[in-house]
Amino acid sequence: MMKWVGWISVLWGVMGTVCTAIEVVTSTPTLAYFASVIGGDRVTVSSLSSGKEDPHGIMTKPSMMGKVRQADVVVVIGMECDPWLTELAKRMGKRTVQPGGIGYLDMSNTPIQRLGVMDAEAMAALKGYEHVHPEGNPHYWLLIDNAQVMAKAMRHTLSKVDPDGAPGYAMRHQRLETRLTQLKERLKKEGSGLQGRPYWVIHDAWSYLLANVGGSVAGSVEEAPGISPGPLYFKRRLDDIKRKKGGVLLVDQYGGSRHDGYVKKISEAGCPVAYVTQSITPDTPTYEALIEQNIQRIKAAVRNTP
Amino acid sequence: MNKRWVIGVWGTILTGLIVPSITAQTTPLGGVSPQGGGILGSYSNAIPMGKIGLVMSLARVLDIGKAIGAGQASLPHFDLELASKVDPDTDLFAVIGLHSHEGKSEVHIENVYLQRTGLIDGLTIRAGRQFVPFGYMAQLHTELSPFATVPAVTRHYFAEGNLAADGTSIMYTLPVPFYASVQAGSWTHTFPTPVEGFGVTNRMGQYRVVVGSALTDQLEWSGSMHWMNGDGPTFQTQADRVELIGTDFKLDWEWGENLRLTLLGEALGMNRTLGTQTYQRSGGYAAAWISDGMWDYGLKTDWVELPGDTLERVQSVSGILNIRHTPAAVLKIEYKHDTGPTPQHQVAMNYVVALGAHNHPVIR
């Protein structure tokens, strides 16, 4: 019996020695990017989604539970985008990665800029629609100003969980901050000519992206977030698109085929389509590439406007 | 066809066709297993401090070869799902069911329990009325089941396909890099009428071990072993003791952008000692289906061995087809061929609509 206890103690000790990296689990690859860039080799980062799915509808898998159980830091988008990860952390995670713990980071609780925050009147008008986001449009990470806030929050969280690594986190955060600032400056130049146009969207995931270049969403095909349009609503929207010249339709590259019919009709009405992406994917492995590629695609579509 | 039935059918169909198109998208239904029910994850404007959702289910079984309309139909089954936060570590969940039993509408509390987390890393405690987490299928609510019908073995042991009991369960997730959890529960259940293996009132102990991991980026598996034993006063005067043992296995293989192959199998065995008599039962099911997000199609076989019973063995082979015409609704169709002593062909249909706050399934 004592021999077994001895072996288990040795094994436990070895595991403790080997597993020294800070385990960070995020709901999306974009959050994982910030963690890995700032964390460097002191962290092991896992995103529980690939970036090609709607983070709201992720089906959790056994491997995710193992990762959450081991996590030292859990990072979520918040604003009801990824409630499944918070729930997994509550049920299976260490106390420190549960809401309120030092290793739990809800990025929506940082001082990000929020677009589309609804007042009581707007909420009342949409009463009954369950996916309304009263706290605002939740795709906030696509605004570079917000990415800077998120990067800072990531650095603080990692420094609290791993104080020994704080100087390294600060240094890498500074480098990222510089790159993000440079990206903003580049977009100021590259984005000239994108302002003042009517940008149409299926689902409004792009207000923040457009805000980077001074653009804004003129209207969405959905009647409200997640709500497919009725025939009359779509006809009115199509008339708007035809009437306001020079517009571009922004469509999620990985949004599935559910809206293909609307996209086809709008495209046939002479409105060019830009296929854009919400999240970092293997094709766009950095945040900077994600934003720049999206803007380039919008610019390409703008060039095709009549 | 009485008026209530007509209203129920049309209410369900219209709700399924119209409401999802004007309400928000909800979590995909089916094809997954919750760990005791999943998570209600969307705000409701109706209850500022809580969440509320509604699941409607309409089932119909047609016997092929008989007159049109022959077969069994059920009134729509409504489940009102509620969730509320008591404190940062405690949640209250409830499922209130409205369904028809022997021609009468009944309202009953399917689940109402408190869930406490945050006491010890990886520990979840639940107390109240809940589905006993025995096996795979028996803990699923209708909207999460991948099948139009309850597998014969599950239905045979748990009359409604689930066993809602009052008690306490403790689940602990082990601190290992893969998923491993142990769970134990102590339960008391009062059956309205005696069913196979159980008396009117039973006290039960139940234990489960679940393991799962990723084999590759695309391939995940999970499996569990579970035990349950029960005894107590029965509707008969003889001492009664029941032991159930089961195992299940699930494999998910994702390939391409949006395709998934799922293999699912479960086997259950029962030993019942009633006085000096011992009865044994066993059975299981195995299914394989492909999903592309909108369509599921595949095959299922299920069987029950009934030694000493006149039927001896019940077995069927089914083709399964699920259609998710909106993210909030699923039409499940099952063509079933019973190959037992009385061969028959049936088509079973189950239409499920979920509105409002909705389950975010947690695969186990």
Side-chain angles (χ1 to χ4, degrees), chain A residues 132-183:
Chain A
V132 167
H133 294 280
E135 299 168 320
N137 186 323
H139 307 87
Y140 56 83
W141 62 89
L142 291 171
L143 181 68
I144 303 169
D145 288 336
N146 284 345
Q148 290 174 305
V149 174
M150 292 161 70
K152 192 174 175 185
M154 187 71 76
R155 170 194 154 188
H156 280 300
T157 298
L158 290 176
S159 299
K160 274 192 287 183
V161 172
D162 175 28
D164 292 346
Y169 301 141
M171 183 187 68
R172 286 185 286 271
H173 170 237
Q174 190 53 50
R175 284 187 207 147
L176 177 62
E177 175 69 19
T178 305
R179 293 207 301 272
L180 293 175
T181 305
Q182 289 168 348
L183 176 63

Tab-separated table of all heavy atoms in Angstrom, chain A residues 132-183:
chain	number	residue	atom	x	y	z
A	132	VAL	N	-31.773	39.539	-28.862
A	132	VAL	CA	-31.428	40.950	-28.816
A	132	VAL	C	-30.318	41.122	-27.779
A	132	VAL	O	-30.316	40.476	-26.740
A	132	VAL	CB	-32.682	41.753	-28.415
A	132	VAL	CG1	-32.308	43.167	-28.050
A	132	VAL	CG2	-33.683	41.720	-29.544
A	133	HIS	N	-29.358	41.952	-28.108
A	133	HIS	CA	-28.255	42.180	-27.177
A	133	HIS	C	-28.392	43.569	-26.582
A	133	HIS	O	-27.914	44.543	-27.160
A	133	HIS	CB	-26.914	42.054	-27.905
A	133	HIS	CG	-26.635	40.669	-28.388
A	133	HIS	ND1	-26.162	39.684	-27.556
A	133	HIS	CD2	-26.770	40.092	-29.605
A	133	HIS	CE1	-26.013	38.565	-28.244
A	133	HIS	NE2	-26.380	38.782	-29.486
A	134	PRO	N	-29.062	43.681	-25.448
A	134	PRO	CA	-29.280	45.010	-24.874
A	134	PRO	C	-27.987	45.708	-24.492
A	134	PRO	O	-27.922	46.924	-24.425
A	134	PRO	CB	-30.140	44.723	-23.638
A	134	PRO	CG	-29.920	43.285	-23.326
A	134	PRO	CD	-29.629	42.612	-24.620
A	135	GLU	N	-26.946	44.915	-24.226
A	135	GLU	CA	-25.681	45.523	-23.813
A	135	GLU	C	-24.903	46.047	-25.008
A	135	GLU	O	-23.814	46.590	-24.847
A	135	GLU	CB	-24.829	44.498	-23.066
A	135	GLU	CG	-25.487	43.983	-21.804
A	135	GLU	CD	-24.750	42.771	-21.258
A	135	GLU	OE1	-24.324	41.915	-22.055
A	135	GLU	OE2	-24.600	42.694	-20.054
A	136	GLY	N	-25.416	45.842	-26.199
A	136	GLY	CA	-24.747	46.355	-27.388
A	136	GLY	C	-24.355	45.242	-28.332
A	136	GLY	O	-24.471	44.061	-28.026
A	137	ASN	N	-23.900	45.651	-29.495
A	137	ASN	CA	-23.435	44.712	-30.506
A	137	ASN	C	-22.204	43.975	-29.962
A	137	ASN	O	-21.229	44.612	-29.573
A	137	ASN	CB	-23.088	45.527	-31.765
A	137	ASN	CG	-22.721	44.658	-32.939
A	137	ASN	OD1	-22.091	43.627	-32.796
A	137	ASN	ND2	-23.123	45.096	-34.126
A	138	PRO	N	-22.224	42.642	-29.935
A	138	PRO	CA	-21.147	41.935	-29.238
A	138	PRO	C	-19.892	41.655	-30.071
A	138	PRO	O	-18.982	41.025	-29.572
A	138	PRO	CB	-21.825	40.615	-28.850
A	138	PRO	CG	-22.834	40.378	-29.913
A	138	PRO	CD	-23.290	41.725	-30.371
A	139	HIS	N	-19.832	42.125	-31.320
A	139	HIS	CA	-18.664	41.807	-32.155
A	139	HIS	C	-17.561	42.858	-31.998
A	139	HIS	O	-16.924	43.272	-32.960
A	139	HIS	CB	-19.104	41.696	-33.623
A	139	HIS	CG	-20.239	40.746	-33.830
A	139	HIS	ND1	-21.554	41.115	-33.712
A	139	HIS	CD2	-20.244	39.427	-34.106
A	139	HIS	CE1	-22.329	40.068	-33.916
A	139	HIS	NE2	-21.556	39.025	-34.153
A	140	TYR	N	-17.365	43.250	-30.763
A	140	TYR	CA	-16.525	44.416	-30.465
A	140	TYR	C	-15.046	44.229	-30.790
A	140	TYR	O	-14.308	45.186	-30.945
A	140	TYR	CB	-16.681	44.802	-28.987
A	140	TYR	CG	-16.372	43.681	-28.034
A	140	TYR	CD1	-15.066	43.398	-27.669
A	140	TYR	CD2	-17.383	42.904	-27.480
A	140	TYR	CE1	-14.767	42.365	-26.802
A	140	TYR	CE2	-17.103	41.866	-26.623
A	140	TYR	CZ	-15.792	41.593	-26.282
A	140	TYR	OH	-15.511	40.554	-25.434
A	141	TRP	N	-14.573	42.985	-30.881
A	141	TRP	CA	-13.137	42.753	-31.078
A	141	TRP	C	-12.655	43.217	-32.450
A	141	TRP	O	-11.460	43.323	-32.686
A	141	TRP	CB	-12.819	41.267	-30.885
A	141	TRP	CG	-13.517	40.374	-31.858
A	141	TRP	CD1	-13.062	39.988	-33.084
A	141	TRP	CD2	-14.801	39.776	-31.706
A	141	TRP	NE1	-13.989	39.185	-33.700
A	141	TRP	CE2	-15.063	39.035	-32.885
A	141	TRP	CE3	-15.770	39.784	-30.695
A	141	TRP	CZ2	-16.248	38.319	-33.071
A	141	TRP	CZ3	-16.941	39.063	-30.884
A	141	TRP	CH2	-17.168	38.353	-32.054
A	142	LEU	N	-13.596	43.495	-33.371
A	142	LEU	CA	-13.192	43.907	-34.712
A	142	LEU	C	-12.818	45.390	-34.790
A	142	LEU	O	-12.410	45.867	-35.838
A	142	LEU	CB	-14.313	43.592	-35.717
A	142	LEU	CG	-14.535	42.095	-35.970
A	142	LEU	CD1	-15.796	41.852	-36.784
A	142	LEU	CD2	-13.328	41.470	-36.668
A	143	LEU	N	-12.971	46.100	-33.691
A	143	LEU	CA	-12.513	47.489	-33.635
A	143	LEU	C	-11.120	47.491	-33.001
A	143	LEU	O	-10.942	46.958	-31.899
A	143	LEU	CB	-13.486	48.332	-32.791
A	143	LEU	CG	-13.150	49.811	-32.652
A	143	LEU	CD1	-13.304	50.529	-33.999
A	143	LEU	CD2	-14.053	50.474	-31.614
A	144	ILE	N	-10.160	48.104	-33.678
A	144	ILE	CA	-8.769	48.022	-33.186
A	144	ILE	C	-8.629	48.691	-31.820
A	144	ILE	O	-7.878	48.221	-30.969
A	144	ILE	CB	-7.797	48.640	-34.210
A	144	ILE	CG1	-7.962	47.932	-35.558
A	144	ILE	CG2	-6.354	48.503	-33.751
A	144	ILE	CD1	-7.258	48.613	-36.707
A	145	ASP	N	-9.359	49.794	-31.604
A	145	ASP	CA	-9.318	50.431	-30.280
A	145	ASP	C	-9.688	49.422	-29.195
A	145	ASP	O	-9.096	49.390	-28.115
A	145	ASP	CB	-10.300	51.617	-30.228
A	145	ASP	CG	-9.790	52.799	-31.048
A	145	ASP	OD1	-8.572	52.887	-31.255
A	145	ASP	OD2	-10.623	53.611	-31.484
A	146	ASN	N	-10.692	48.596	-29.483
A	146	ASN	CA	-11.107	47.592	-28.503
A	146	ASN	C	-10.067	46.483	-28.368
A	146	ASN	O	-9.853	45.949	-27.279
A	146	ASN	CB	-12.457	46.992	-28.893
A	146	ASN	CG	-13.609	47.933	-28.594
A	146	ASN	OD1	-13.429	48.903	-27.861
A	146	ASN	ND2	-14.763	47.667	-29.165
A	147	ALA	N	-9.434	46.145	-29.480
A	147	ALA	CA	-8.383	45.121	-29.411
A	147	ALA	C	-7.274	45.579	-28.475
A	147	ALA	O	-6.692	44.772	-27.734
A	147	ALA	CB	-7.830	44.848	-30.807
A	148	GLN	N	-7.004	46.874	-28.488
A	148	GLN	CA	-5.962	47.391	-27.584
A	148	GLN	C	-6.395	47.264	-26.120
A	148	GLN	O	-5.588	46.910	-25.264
A	148	GLN	CB	-5.660	48.849	-27.947
A	148	GLN	CG	-4.923	48.961	-29.292
A	148	GLN	CD	-4.735	50.397	-29.746
A	148	GLN	OE1	-5.698	51.151	-29.857
A	148	GLN	NE2	-3.502	50.773	-30.016
A	149	VAL	N	-7.676	47.530	-25.886
A	149	VAL	CA	-8.194	47.364	-24.512
A	149	VAL	C	-8.129	45.894	-24.103
A	149	VAL	O	-7.741	45.546	-22.975
A	149	VAL	CB	-9.651	47.886	-24.430
A	149	VAL	CG1	-10.249	47.595	-23.060
A	149	VAL	CG2	-9.712	49.371	-24.728
A	150	MET	N	-8.479	45.023	-25.031
A	150	MET	CA	-8.479	43.586	-24.738
A	150	MET	C	-7.057	43.092	-24.456
A	150	MET	O	-6.835	42.280	-23.549
A	150	MET	CB	-9.077	42.828	-25.918
A	150	MET	CG	-10.564	43.095	-26.119
A	150	MET	SD	-11.127	42.654	-27.784
A	150	MET	CE	-11.026	40.885	-27.728
A	151	ALA	N	-6.120	43.577	-25.246
A	151	ALA	CA	-4.723	43.153	-25.050
A	151	ALA	C	-4.234	43.570	-23.664
A	151	ALA	O	-3.550	42.809	-22.971
A	151	ALA	CB	-3.849	43.755	-26.141
A	152	LYS	N	-4.631	44.762	-23.257
A	152	LYS	CA	-4.229	45.247	-21.938
A	152	LYS	C	-4.845	44.375	-20.831
A	152	LYS	O	-4.172	44.008	-19.857
A	152	LYS	CB	-4.692	46.703	-21.789
A	152	LYS	CG	-4.110	47.433	-20.616
A	152	LYS	CD	-4.536	48.907	-20.694
A	152	LYS	CE	-4.063	49.651	-19.462
A	152	LYS	NZ	-4.549	51.040	-19.460
A	153	ALA	N	-6.129	44.030	-21.021
A	153	ALA	CA	-6.799	43.185	-20.023
A	153	ALA	C	-6.144	41.805	-19.966
A	153	ALA	O	-6.005	41.217	-18.884
A	153	ALA	CB	-8.284	43.057	-20.381
A	154	MET	N	-5.739	41.307	-21.120
A	154	MET	CA	-5.080	40.000	-21.156
A	154	MET	C	-3.776	40.050	-20.373
A	154	MET	O	-3.459	39.145	-19.597
A	154	MET	CB	-4.825	39.593	-22.611
A	154	MET	CG	-4.292	38.196	-22.782
A	154	MET	SD	-5.528	36.930	-22.436
A	154	MET	CE	-6.510	37.016	-23.928
A	155	ARG	N	-3.029	41.108	-20.600
A	155	ARG	CA	-1.747	41.251	-19.889
A	155	ARG	C	-1.982	41.293	-18.378
A	155	ARG	O	-1.286	40.629	-17.608
A	155	ARG	CB	-1.066	42.537	-20.363
A	155	ARG	CG	0.139	42.919	-19.542
A	155	ARG	CD	0.533	44.358	-19.841
A	155	ARG	NE	1.227	44.948	-18.704
A	155	ARG	CZ	1.551	46.223	-18.630
A	155	ARG	NH1	1.233	47.043	-19.606
A	155	ARG	NH2	2.175	46.690	-17.586
A	156	HIS	N	-2.988	42.049	-17.940
A	156	HIS	CA	-3.257	42.162	-16.503
A	156	HIS	C	-3.641	40.810	-15.911
A	156	HIS	O	-3.179	40.434	-14.834
A	156	HIS	CB	-4.370	43.182	-16.250
A	156	HIS	CG	-3.891	44.603	-16.300
A	156	HIS	ND1	-2.923	45.085	-15.449
A	156	HIS	CD2	-4.224	45.635	-17.103
A	156	HIS	CE1	-2.679	46.362	-15.724
A	156	HIS	NE2	-3.459	46.720	-16.729
A	157	THR	N	-4.482	40.084	-16.646
A	157	THR	CA	-4.935	38.793	-16.118
A	157	THR	C	-3.767	37.816	-16.024
A	157	THR	O	-3.596	37.137	-15.004
A	157	THR	CB	-6.049	38.217	-17.027
A	157	THR	OG1	-7.147	39.130	-17.001
A	157	THR	CG2	-6.519	36.860	-16.537
A	158	LEU	N	-2.978	37.748	-17.077
A	158	LEU	CA	-1.838	36.831	-17.052
A	158	LEU	C	-0.863	37.220	-15.939
A	158	LEU	O	-0.300	36.355	-15.259
A	158	LEU	CB	-1.125	36.827	-18.412
A	158	LEU	CG	-1.894	36.185	-19.570
A	158	LEU	CD1	-1.129	36.342	-20.886
A	158	LEU	CD2	-2.175	34.707	-19.303
A	159	SER	N	-0.681	38.520	-15.734
A	159	SER	CA	0.253	38.972	-14.698
A	159	SER	C	-0.251	38.634	-13.301
A	159	SER	O	0.535	38.342	-12.402
A	159	SER	CB	0.471	40.491	-14.808
A	159	SER	OG	1.020	40.808	-16.066
A	160	LYS	N	-1.574	38.663	-13.132
A	160	LYS	CA	-2.132	38.314	-11.817
A	160	LYS	C	-1.984	36.823	-11.541
A	160	LYS	O	-1.643	36.395	-10.446
A	160	LYS	CB	-3.624	38.701	-11.769
A	160	LYS	CG	-3.854	40.145	-11.355
A	160	LYS	CD	-5.308	40.416	-11.034
A	160	LYS	CE	-6.161	40.462	-12.277
A	160	LYS	NZ	-7.563	40.786	-12.029
A	161	VAL	N	-2.242	36.027	-12.577
A	161	VAL	CA	-2.168	34.569	-12.407
A	161	VAL	C	-0.711	34.119	-12.289
A	161	VAL	O	-0.399	33.185	-11.547
A	161	VAL	CB	-2.863	33.866	-13.606
A	161	VAL	CG1	-2.641	32.364	-13.561
A	161	VAL	CG2	-4.352	34.181	-13.603
A	162	ASP	N	0.167	34.787	-13.003
A	162	ASP	CA	1.575	34.386	-13.052
A	162	ASP	C	2.452	35.629	-12.839
A	162	ASP	O	3.034	36.156	-13.790
A	162	ASP	CB	1.847	33.745	-14.425
A	162	ASP	CG	3.307	33.411	-14.628
A	162	ASP	OD1	4.014	33.161	-13.633
A	162	ASP	OD2	3.753	33.402	-15.797
A	163	PRO	N	2.557	36.092	-11.598
A	163	PRO	CA	3.309	37.343	-11.345
A	163	PRO	C	4.761	37.258	-11.812
A	163	PRO	O	5.320	38.271	-12.229
A	163	PRO	CB	3.230	37.495	-9.817
A	163	PRO	CG	2.072	36.663	-9.399
A	163	PRO	CD	1.972	35.540	-10.368
A	164	ASP	N	5.353	36.065	-11.770
A	164	ASP	CA	6.758	35.938	-12.208
A	164	ASP	C	6.929	36.291	-13.682
A	164	ASP	O	8.001	36.711	-14.109
A	164	ASP	CB	7.261	34.501	-11.985
A	164	ASP	CG	7.375	34.186	-10.502
A	164	ASP	OD1	7.330	35.145	-9.700
A	164	ASP	OD2	7.479	32.998	-10.162
A	165	GLY	N	5.864	36.085	-14.451
A	165	GLY	CA	5.967	36.343	-15.880
A	165	GLY	C	5.583	37.754	-16.271
A	165	GLY	O	5.623	38.111	-17.460
A	166	ALA	N	5.222	38.581	-15.282
A	166	ALA	CA	4.686	39.916	-15.585
A	166	ALA	C	5.609	40.765	-16.463
A	166	ALA	O	5.127	41.419	-17.409
A	166	ALA	CB	4.334	40.641	-14.292
A	167	PRO	N	6.917	40.800	-16.197
A	167	PRO	CA	7.773	41.647	-17.060
A	167	PRO	C	7.708	41.210	-18.525
A	167	PRO	O	7.655	42.062	-19.427
A	167	PRO	CB	9.181	41.423	-16.483
A	167	PRO	CG	8.953	40.996	-15.069
A	167	PRO	CD	7.681	40.212	-15.088
A	168	GLY	N	7.726	39.905	-18.754
A	168	GLY	CA	7.637	39.399	-20.132
A	168	GLY	C	6.304	39.740	-20.767
A	168	GLY	O	6.224	40.119	-21.943
A	169	TYR	N	5.227	39.615	-19.980
A	169	TYR	CA	3.901	39.950	-20.517
A	169	TYR	C	3.852	41.430	-20.893
A	169	TYR	O	3.295	41.798	-21.928
A	169	TYR	CB	2.802	39.634	-19.497
A	169	TYR	CG	2.747	38.181	-19.080
A	169	TYR	CD1	2.483	37.805	-17.770
A	169	TYR	CD2	2.957	37.166	-20.017
A	169	TYR	CE1	2.431	36.481	-17.387
A	169	TYR	CE2	2.909	35.834	-19.646
A	169	TYR	CZ	2.647	35.499	-18.329
A	169	TYR	OH	2.599	34.186	-17.956
A	170	ALA	N	4.441	42.261	-20.033
A	170	ALA	CA	4.431	43.704	-20.301
A	170	ALA	C	5.205	44.014	-21.584
A	170	ALA	O	4.753	44.821	-22.414
A	170	ALA	CB	5.036	44.450	-19.117
A	171	MET	N	6.343	43.345	-21.744
A	171	MET	CA	7.170	43.609	-22.927
A	171	MET	C	6.433	43.183	-24.205
A	171	MET	O	6.357	43.938	-25.179
A	171	MET	CB	8.479	42.822	-22.794
A	171	MET	CG	9.467	43.043	-23.920
A	171	MET	SD	10.849	41.912	-23.758
A	171	MET	CE	10.102	40.337	-24.087
A	172	ARG	N	5.867	42.000	-24.163
A	172	ARG	CA	5.177	41.513	-25.378
A	172	ARG	C	3.906	42.310	-25.642
A	172	ARG	O	3.524	42.535	-26.790
A	172	ARG	CB	4.888	40.017	-25.248
A	172	ARG	CG	6.137	39.159	-25.411
A	172	ARG	CD	5.810	37.676	-25.401
A	172	ARG	NE	5.484	37.194	-24.077
A	172	ARG	CZ	6.374	36.731	-23.200
A	172	ARG	NH1	7.649	36.674	-23.512
A	172	ARG	NH2	5.989	36.318	-22.009
A	173	HIS	N	3.251	42.726	-24.567
A	173	HIS	CA	2.066	43.565	-24.739
A	173	HIS	C	2.437	44.876	-25.431
A	173	HIS	O	1.726	45.356	-26.322
A	173	HIS	CB	1.408	43.838	-23.386
A	173	HIS	CG	0.329	44.869	-23.455
A	173	HIS	ND1	0.337	46.013	-22.706
A	173	HIS	CD2	-0.780	44.945	-24.239
A	173	HIS	CE1	-0.720	46.744	-23.002
A	173	HIS	NE2	-1.424	46.128	-23.931
A	174	GLN	N	3.557	45.432	-25.028
A	174	GLN	CA	3.999	46.698	-25.619
A	174	GLN	C	4.239	46.531	-27.124
A	174	GLN	O	3.866	47.390	-27.931
A	174	GLN	CB	5.272	47.189	-24.917
A	174	GLN	CG	5.673	48.607	-25.305
A	174	GLN	CD	4.517	49.604	-25.129
A	174	GLN	OE1	3.876	49.645	-24.077
A	174	GLN	NE2	4.218	50.369	-26.174
A	175	ARG	N	4.875	45.400	-27.492
A	175	ARG	CA	5.129	45.148	-28.921
A	175	ARG	C	3.805	45.044	-29.692
A	175	ARG	O	3.656	45.593	-30.782
A	175	ARG	CB	5.900	43.838	-29.095
A	175	ARG	CG	7.362	43.953	-28.750
A	175	ARG	CD	8.030	42.643	-29.145
A	175	ARG	NE	9.204	42.394	-28.340
A	175	ARG	CZ	9.639	41.205	-27.968
A	175	ARG	NH1	8.977	40.113	-28.317
A	175	ARG	NH2	10.723	41.060	-27.256
A	176	LEU	N	2.861	44.324	-29.103
A	176	LEU	CA	1.559	44.174	-29.770
A	176	LEU	C	0.865	45.526	-29.881
A	176	LEU	O	0.285	45.862	-30.921
A	176	LEU	CB	0.682	43.179	-28.992
A	176	LEU	CG	-0.734	42.975	-29.518
A	176	LEU	CD1	-0.729	42.408	-30.943
A	176	LEU	CD2	-1.541	42.044	-28.611
A	177	GLU	N	0.939	46.295	-28.805
A	177	GLU	CA	0.325	47.632	-28.791
A	177	GLU	C	0.891	48.471	-29.945
A	177	GLU	O	0.151	49.161	-30.651
A	177	GLU	CB	0.618	48.281	-27.426
A	177	GLU	CG	0.166	49.713	-27.271
A	177	GLU	CD	-1.345	49.860	-27.224
A	177	GLU	OE1	-2.032	48.862	-26.948
A	177	GLU	OE2	-1.828	50.972	-27.510
A	178	THR	N	2.189	48.376	-30.144
A	178	THR	CA	2.822	49.131	-31.231
A	178	THR	C	2.279	48.666	-32.580
A	178	THR	O	1.955	49.485	-33.453
A	178	THR	CB	4.360	48.914	-31.178
A	178	THR	OG1	4.808	49.277	-29.875
A	178	THR	CG2	5.073	49.755	-32.218
A	179	ARG	N	2.182	47.353	-32.742
A	179	ARG	CA	1.684	46.837	-34.029
A	179	ARG	C	0.240	47.281	-34.274
A	179	ARG	O	-0.142	47.607	-35.394
A	179	ARG	CB	1.774	45.305	-34.055
A	179	ARG	CG	3.202	44.777	-34.046
A	179	ARG	CD	3.268	43.405	-34.710
A	179	ARG	NE	2.436	42.411	-34.064
A	179	ARG	CZ	2.832	41.641	-33.045
A	179	ARG	NH1	4.046	41.784	-32.543
A	179	ARG	NH2	2.023	40.754	-32.539
A	180	LEU	N	-0.556	47.272	-33.212
A	180	LEU	CA	-1.961	47.674	-33.371
A	180	LEU	C	-2.068	49.162	-33.704
A	180	LEU	O	-2.911	49.575	-34.512
A	180	LEU	CB	-2.754	47.343	-32.101
A	180	LEU	CG	-2.928	45.848	-31.802
A	180	LEU	CD1	-3.613	45.633	-30.459
A	180	LEU	CD2	-3.741	45.151	-32.908
A	181	THR	N	-1.215	49.961	-33.086
A	181	THR	CA	-1.205	51.394	-33.394
A	181	THR	C	-0.802	51.615	-34.854
A	181	THR	O	-1.410	52.434	-35.562
A	181	THR	CB	-0.231	52.137	-32.451
A	181	THR	OG1	-0.606	51.836	-31.106
A	181	THR	CG2	-0.273	53.640	-32.662
A	182	GLN	N	0.220	50.877	-35.287
A	182	GLN	CA	0.642	50.996	-36.695
A	182	GLN	C	-0.481	50.561	-37.639
A	182	GLN	O	-0.688	51.152	-38.695
A	182	GLN	CB	1.892	50.140	-36.933
A	182	GLN	CG	3.147	50.705	-36.279
A	182	GLN	CD	4.286	49.706	-36.273
A	182	GLN	OE1	4.102	48.519	-36.549
A	182	GLN	NE2	5.487	50.192	-35.954
A	183	LEU	N	-1.190	49.516	-37.225
A	183	LEU	CA	-2.307	49.031	-38.052
A	183	LEU	C	-3.372	50.122	-38.196
A	183	LEU	O	-3.905	50.357	-39.285
A	183	LEU	CB	-2.912	47.770	-37.413
A	183	LEU	CG	-4.150	47.178	-38.075
A	183	LEU	CD1	-3.842	46.709	-39.500
A	183	LEU	CD2	-4.709	46.005	-37.262
